[in-house]
Structure formats: C-alpha cells, structure tokens
C-alpha cells in the first residue's frame, strides 16, 4: 500500500511539474513531456514519454511510448 501511495505521489508531482513547463512552451510547435503511470490490472508501474507536433491550429501529431517495469517472478 505504501508503494502505491508513493507511485501516486510521484505521478501527481510529475503532472504538476510538466503542465507548468508546458504552459511556458506554447510558442513552439513541438511539445514534449513524460511522467509516471501505474497499471492496476497488472499491478505494475511504468514511465512514459510523449511528443506532440502542432501542424496548425486544428491538426497535430503525437507519439507516446510507455515502458512497464517487469515484475520479478519465480527464481
């Protein structure tokens, strides 16, 4: 339970830090960010990075990569 609280605390801090940083980058067509995620169905933590390219006011392209940490099973 303490691990879960730690993961959520890190996620919230990351979201606040990244959203503050993104507000300053509105002049650029390229936005980038990252954070921490937690998958409840597989009980695994993950990190992610995301990039967005704004083509114009109506269109943008995005790429997101998520890496789930493997759980130690067996020997």
């Amino acid at each position: 339970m303490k691990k879960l609280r730690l993961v959520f605390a890190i996620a919230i801090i990351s979201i606040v830090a990244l959203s503050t940083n993104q507000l300053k980058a509105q002049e650029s067509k390229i936005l980038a960010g990252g954070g921490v995620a937690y998958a409840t169905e597989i009980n695994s933590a993950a990190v992610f990075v995301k990039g967005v390219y704004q083509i114009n006011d109506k269109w943008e392209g995005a790429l997101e990569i998520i890496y789930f940490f493997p759980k130690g099973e067996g020997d």
Side-chain angles (χ1 to χ4, degrees), residues 4-73:
L4 184 62
R5 287 184 183 178
L6 177 64
V7 170
F8 282 126
I10 291 171
I12 290 171
I13 291 169
S14 298
I15 289 169
V16 170
L18 291 173
S19 64
T20 303
N21 190 20
Q22 187 177 8
L23 291 175
K24 296 177 186 175
Q26 293 298 317
E27 298 295 322
S28 176
K29 289 188 172 200
I30 299 174
L31 304 173
V36 179
Y38 184 76
T40 56
E41 291 185 17
I42 60 173
N43 294 326
S44 182
V47 292
F48 68 90
V49 294
K50 182 176 184 178
V52 177
Y53 178 73
Q54 295 177 333
I55 300 167
N56 58 30
D57 290 341
K58 293 184 179 182
W59 292 92
E60 61 185 29
L63 173 68
E64 183 173 13
I65 299 172
I66 301 174
Y67 176 75
F68 289 97
F69 295 109
K71 294 189 291 186
E73 296 180 11

